[in-house]
Amino acid sequence: MARQLPLTDLVAVGDGLIRIPRPELEGREGAYSTVEELRGLVARHPNLQGVVRARQALDLMRVGSDSAPETFLRLAMLDAGLPEPELQIALRPGDARPPSADLGFRRRRVAIQYDGGHHLLEPQRLSDRRRDKAFEAAGWTVVIIDKADQEDDYAPAIKKIKRALRSSTVDPSISSGFTNI
């Protein structure tokens, strides 16, 4: 694949391989692979065409990206000079099933949700509203990214995220060291 795919696509495939599944939805417990296993595979073939791109992709892969658009958004954020976001941020760590953000910045209380096509269905829209209201009630800014925000290499999405980060404040409990989350 490293010979054929652009770097961003290769990272998205890799993120999918190392992603922790949701057993209740997918019927499987573990990831298909780990970054370490993929690194081992690449290391066994140091002279193959595409190995440099494979190593670059491995450096950019992250556990927690649930879809290719989430990966592409994260990579666009990095390309735009934004800090690397956390992935799958639980609003209340330790809760059994807390609302979570696809990406975001806990310290700045900015939650980024990539809402793909299935988010247009009514049951999912209701769930999304509850999720977003929970984050907002806790003082977070919620940024919703959808298909329209993918245009021009995610330029509209980056603009929304930058605006949210400019208007956010650092959570004082985290910056003071009182909370280490």
Side-chain angles (χ1 to χ4, degrees), residues 27-67:
R28 64 184 177 97
E29 295 288 327
Y32 291 117
S33 190
T34 66
V35 172
E36 294 76 25
E37 290 170 341
L38 295 173
R39 281 191 197 286
L41 178 67
V42 169
R44 287 192 301 272
H45 304 285
N47 298 319
L48 284 181
Q49 185 181 10
V51 74
V52 171
R53 187 177 305 143
R55 286 187 195 118
Q56 291 171 326
L58 284 163
D59 289 342
L60 292 168
M61 290 177 198
R62 301 291 183 268
V63 172
S65 185
D66 278 346
S67 67

Side-chain angles (χ1 to χ4, degrees), residues 26 41 49 69 73 79-80 96 158 175 181:
E26 299 173 58
L41 178 67
Q49 185 181 10
L73 175 59
D79 286 346
I158 299 302
S175 64
I181 296 174

Side-chain angles (χ1 to χ4, degrees), residues 104-157:
F105 303 95
R106 181 176 299 282
R107 188 168 185 260
R108 307 234 16 134
R109 290 189 180 198
V110 173
I112 304 165
Q113 304 290 7
Y114 179 80
D115 287 353
H118 76 282
H119 290 267
L120 298 174
L121 303 173
E122 192 58 28
Q124 186 64 48
R125 288 178 54 206
L126 293 172
S127 175
D128 291 348
R129 270 198 295 265
R130 282 192 303 274
R131 169 202 72 194
D132 297 344
K133 285 183 183 284
F135 272 95
E136 290 165 352
W140 289 59
T141 300
V142 177
V143 179
I144 306 296
I145 306 297
D146 60 23
K147 188 173 180 152
D149 296 310
Q150 294 178 9
E151 294 176 10
D152 195 24
D153 293 326
Y154 285 85

